[in-house]
Amino acid sequence: EAGVAQSPRYKIIEKRQSVAFWCNPISGHATLYWYQQILGQGPKLLIQFQNNGVVDDSQLPKDRFSAERLKGVDSTLKIQPAKLEDSAVYLCASSGASGSYEQYFGPGTRLTVT
Amino acid sequence: DQQVKQNSPSLSVQEGRISILNCDYTNSMFDYFLWYKKYPAEGPTFLISISSIKDKNEDGRFTVFLNKSAKHLSLHIVPSQPGDSAVYFCAASGLGAGSYQLTFGKGTKLSVIP
């Protein structure tokens, strides 16, 4: 079974520019998560989708971050405009059966904002 | 305010000996705990979990112990192998009705010395 796919793997942008990340979860997984992992910290949840609906986006900085999951499969996370403090690894994870605690993570996108 | 704490940023252990990684939590509403392992440039991978109704769960060389009264859990790896060298994240879940969101600690970097 193919794992969670993310692209790009690395991205360098200047502050105030925009950037988008893409995630393709494991086939059939209804729940999708986006996390931000700053160097030296654990992953921090940004947004959770169930199919194509948002379950929780309380920790998403909505003035600059947006996310969507059209058709309940792939998802994109966008930052516009980026700030220096957005430099981090952005991880996408998915989980399958309803009520599953176990999440499967993609390799992440490392974003550097200069 | 950190709800899941891993107070040891790093740990070095000789090959063949026991590795013990510790994790403390502050919120008594957490009812499920997981350990994830992360290699550089990869996403975290699920290792082992434990429900709050148990005090021990074992899977091969890996055992997780839970002490609810102390709000403490630990991961034991016996015997440790060089391939176990990675960052280990403790995660907790159970906040919010029907929520399977994970709250992560900062991680402990384990180095197993051959």
Side-chain angles (χ1 to χ4, degrees), chain A residues 9 33 35 37 40-43 45 48 56 91 99-103 105-107, chain B residues 31-32 34 36 38 41-44 46 89 93-94 99-102 104-106:
Chain A
R9 292 296 310 275
Y33 305 84
Y35 290 87
Q37 185 179 12
Q41 306 286 320
L45 180 69
Q48 176 185 352
D56 185 357
L91 293 160
S100 172
Y101 290 99
E102 186 177 335
Q103 298 178 19
F105 284 82
Chain B
D31 62 4
Y32 201 83
L34 305 90
Y36 277 80
K38 186 181 183 305
E42 295 184 11
F46 170 74
F89 290 99
S93 186
S99 169
Y100 299 92
Q101 294 176 7
L102 300 181
F104 285 86
K106 290 186 176 182

Side-chain angles (χ1 to χ4, degrees), chain A residues 31-36 44-50 52-62 65-69 75-78 90-94 103, chain B residues 101:
Chain A
T31 309
L32 185 147
Y33 305 84
W34 282 102
Y35 290 87
Q36 179 192 59
K44 172 192 159 188
L45 180 69
L46 292 175
I47 188 168
Q48 176 185 352
F49 291 94
Q50 180 75 21
N52 60 347
V54 175
V55 174
D56 185 357
D57 63 357
S58 59
Q59 300 193 75
L60 188 73
K62 298 181 190 63
F65 286 64
S66 64
E68 61 181 9
R69 190 183 185 197
S75 177
T76 56
L77 176 69
K78 296 179 182 177
Y90 290 85
L91 293 160
C92 178
S94 68
Q103 298 178 19
Chain B
Q101 294 176 7

Side-chain angles (χ1 to χ4, degrees), chain B residues 41-104:
Chain B
E42 295 184 11
T45 55
F46 170 74
L47 188 59
I48 192 169
S49 63
I50 188 167
S51 165
S52 61
I53 63 173
K54 295 186 174 181
D55 56 17
K56 176 182 174 181
N57 188 28
E58 194 171 351
D59 183 2
R61 297 185 297 115
F62 303 91
T63 303
V64 56
F65 295 92
L66 175 63
N67 183 333
K68 281 183 62 178
S69 60
K71 294 191 180 69
H72 176 84
L73 62 156
S74 61
L75 174 68
H76 293 211
I77 307 173
V78 183
S80 301
Q81 299 174 354
D84 296 329
S85 297
V87 177
Y88 289 78
F89 290 99
C90 172
S93 186
L95 295 183
S99 169
Y100 299 92
Q101 294 176 7
L102 300 181
T103 302
F104 285 86

Side-chain angles (χ1 to χ4, degrees), chain A residues 76-87:
Chain A
T76 56
L77 176 69
K78 296 179 182 177
I79 308 175
Q80 182 180 15
K83 293 185 175 182
L84 295 176
E85 59 261 35
D86 298 332
S87 293

